[in-house]
Amino acid sequence: MSQRLRRLAAGSTLFAAVAAVVAMALFAAPVSSVQSGTTAAANAFHGERALRFTAAAVAFGPRVSGSDSIEQTRRYIETTLQGFGYTVRRDEFAATTPVGSVPMANLIAVVAAADGAPAGPAIVLAGHYDTKLFEQFEFVGANDAGSSTGILLELGRVLAENKPPLPVWLVFFDGEEAFIEWNDTDGRYGSKHMAQRMEAAGELDQIGAMILFDMVGDADLSFPKDGNGAGWLNDIVWETAASIGHDGVFNDNITQFMEDDHLPFTKRGVAAIDLIDFDYGPGRRYWHAPFDTMDKLGSDGFQAVGETILTALPAIAERILGR
Ligand SMILES: [Zn+2]
């Protein structure tokens, strides 16, 4: 076994995470509130811009939690979101990790709902913005997780001009990656912190649904369904994708059980799904490797994801509101 494969086996972030891959034929009942055709918000989404936001984050180099470069990345995210008119909140905390206490911060921007929209809980669109620590090579994490930063910024740009049917929170998690080895205590520091904090404050009912974006930039993008995710949310997203011609990206034949930043929330009863294409390069060769660079990414996948999620928002809101 090569050194790389040993590292994959031992240090696997999401590999350990794929508990099983199950081929399933899914015959979900139609969700009547899924609309036909894209929305104005979806039409305003530009995959090329998401790609450019990703490149800007990746240009900061390795963005390991606690590093100077992740602080520069935070400032870039904040400045960009402020440029769209948002107030950005830093939720700072000290994470206890195998390498000691590490200062971290989640970033949260709230998109107000459209005028006249009914009151209701928020739809959280989330991703992580840290990259995994590697000392043996420079890891810039274009897809993992530069792509999460890029798509969230483009969604933020679009939603500032096209108000959603319920409030949307744009959440950038710090510390998704493990410092040593992915397990219950190493990794997902930011999402655990936020879920625990909200639970302690009795605030989890402020979240109606969560969609997590991780590794969404692959030029050859194809998502399995998330078996750990909420079925109704998967159904709306996948049916929406099919209705606007993106069933090539939202693959209806494969289900994976992903451990990621959504689980601290699903464990606490929040409806969430993880959109992740873990099949990155031949034999996952690009994942957690020096090959995870911008040349592996493409705008078409971003476009499909952005259009699908923005088109799905009204149906997700209807479901949250119990209509
Ligand atoms: Zn990773």
Side-chain angles (χ1 to χ4, degrees):
M1 185 183 277
S2 72
Q3 187 182 359
R4 185 183 63 80
L5 286 173
R6 276 204 310 278
R7 183 173 56 70
L8 282 177
S12 54
T13 295
L14 291 158
F15 193 62
V18 184
V21 178
V22 183
M24 292 172 64
L26 292 149
F27 302 99
V31 179
S32 59
S33 52
V34 168
Q35 58 182 78
S36 54
T38 52
T39 59
N43 293 337
F45 185 95
H46 293 303
E48 284 289 346
R49 285 191 193 236
L51 194 61
R52 288 207 293 275
F53 287 132
T54 302
V58 170
F60 291 109
R63 303 174 299 285
V64 176
S65 293
S67 66
D68 290 342
S69 56
I70 199 171
E71 172 60 21
Q72 291 169 357
T73 310
R74 263 193 292 277
R75 288 185 190 152
Y76 167 71
I77 293 169
E78 289 170 336
T79 304
T80 304
L81 290 172
Q82 286 159 358
F84 302 144
Y86 298 113
T87 300
V88 186
R89 187 161 78 86
R90 274 193 191 212
D91 182 9
E92 297 181 308
F93 61 101
T96 302
T97 83
V99 300
S101 178
V102 176
M104 297 191 189
N106 297 327
L107 302 177
I108 303 161
V110 175
V111 188
D115 287 345
I123 299 169
V124 174
L125 305 179
H128 75 98
Y129 69 96
D130 63 304
T131 57
K132 184 164 173 58
L133 170 67
F134 288 103
E135 282 164 354
Q136 57 276 53
F137 59 87
E138 182 180 76
F139 180 67
V140 299
N143 197 16
D144 184 13
S147 65
S148 303
T149 303
I151 198 162
L152 287 176
L153 289 176
E154 174 61 1
L155 287 166
R157 186 192 69 80
V158 170
L159 290 168
E161 305 282 324
N162 299 270
K163 294 298 187 192
L166 280 175
V168 167
W169 297 358
L170 303 168
V171 177
F172 299 74
F173 290 124
D174 201 343
E176 187 266 353
E177 300 287 2
F179 283 91
I180 307 292
E181 183 176 348
W182 179 269
N183 59 35
D184 281 348
T185 56
D186 193 9
R188 292 170 286 171
Y189 295 99
S191 53
K192 285 180 190 166
H193 167 77
M194 182 171 170
Q196 287 166 358
R197 175 178 58 73
M198 291 188 70
E199 181 178 48
E203 294 175 352
L204 280 172
D205 60 359
Q206 294 178 5
I207 301 178
M210 168 183 281
I211 297 170
L212 181 68
F213 303 95
D214 197 357
M215 301 175 70
V216 296
D218 193 341
D220 179 26
L221 192 68
S222 176
F223 296 123
K225 273 191 178 174
D226 173 17
N228 284 335
W232 68 263
L233 194 50
N234 270 326
D235 289 345
I236 289 176
V237 169
W238 257 251
E239 191 184 329
T240 301
S243 76
I244 58 174
H246 292 318
D247 42 337
V249 169
F250 291 78
N251 187 326
D252 209 4
N253 296 316
I254 299 174
T255 294
Q256 291 183 344
F257 294 82
M258 304 307 301
E259 285 186 18
D260 209 339
D261 279 324
H262 61 324
L263 289 198
F265 292 88
T266 59
K267 278 180 192 167
R268 292 171 170 83
V270 174
I273 56 170
D274 188 13
L275 295 182
I276 181 166
D277 179 3
F278 196 41
D279 187 16
Y280 186 35
R284 298 194 175 116
R285 206 166 75 91
Y286 304 159
W287 173 69
H288 284 185
F291 317 112
D292 186 2
T293 45
M294 285 302 297
D295 56 302
K296 310 303 188 305
L297 309 192
S299 62
D300 288 356
F302 279 119
Q303 190 69 38
V305 179
E307 286 183 6
T308 296
I309 295 308
L310 290 164
T311 299
L313 287 181
I316 294 170
E318 295 275 301
R319 167 68 193 234
I320 291 170
L321 293 167
R323 296 179 181 175

